[in-house]
Amino acid sequence: MSMPTPSAESAASSTREHDNLRSRLPDPVSLFPEVAQIAGTLTKAVLNGAIPHTTVHLVQLRAGQIVGSTYHTVRQAGLLRKAGETEERITAVASWQDATSFSDAERVALELVEAVLTPNPFGERVSDELYARASAHYDDKALWTLTLAISQIFFFIPVALIARPIAGKAPGKNYTK
């Protein structure tokens, strides 16, 4: 059984709808120029080389998935593609626990971002056991880098969920007001 193909009219309609997407708020840099410097400084700190850039983007992709941010999910997946990551690994982030394509260090990084974002009614979100496993893979600078990578995406999550920048558009071009 073959799937029907979309008509030219429905494809054009979909394109028009995408072209009419609007953010809720204007680019924050137009109101707060220092936000660009903050974002740049955070990026420089996070991409310091202590952990692979792909690990940063995998963790930030998972954070976007957990909070339901289309903007962050699309952006981080795009950054991973640009870095040469396979579609298999990008897609598997959503179910990383049973995916075979992640290293032990990547797995503990993904587990760490989930622990931070997921309430634990039975105790700490980041247990001593999880911290010990993370510290087995990352030295102090790398753990701080991973912590800052999680902090960086948290800085931008409210922006994405409230202001709704347009997913798939470059920073600075993703606001319409």
Side-chain angles (χ1 to χ4, degrees), residues 41-54 56-57 145 152:
T41 300
L42 276 171
T43 298
K44 184 178 178 183
V46 167
L47 300 179
N48 65 39
I51 62 175
H53 294 184
T54 54
V56 169
H57 298 307
T145 301
Q152 179 188 35

Side-chain angles (χ1 to χ4, degrees), residues 46-100:
V46 167
L47 300 179
N48 65 39
I51 62 175
H53 294 184
T54 54
T55 301
V56 169
H57 298 307
L58 290 169
V59 164
Q60 292 183 343
L61 170 58
R62 187 65 189 128
Q65 291 171 338
I66 292 167
V67 302
S69 170
T70 299
Y71 176 77
H72 288 301
T73 302
V74 169
R75 177 159 169 69
Q76 295 304 321
L79 290 170
L80 285 162
R81 283 184 195 97
K82 190 175 178 180
E85 283 298 323
T86 65
E87 287 301 313
E88 177 186 339
R89 278 175 46 91
I90 294 168
T91 304
V93 169
S95 58
W96 65 268
Q97 297 89 341
D98 63 358
T100 59

Side-chain angles (χ1 to χ4, degrees), residues 128-149:
D128 288 341
E129 186 268 333
L130 175 53
Y131 176 81
R133 285 190 291 113
S135 64
H137 292 282
Y138 300 104
D139 64 17
D140 288 345
K141 184 173 183 178
L143 268 173
W144 268 117
T145 301
L146 185 55
T147 300
L148 290 174

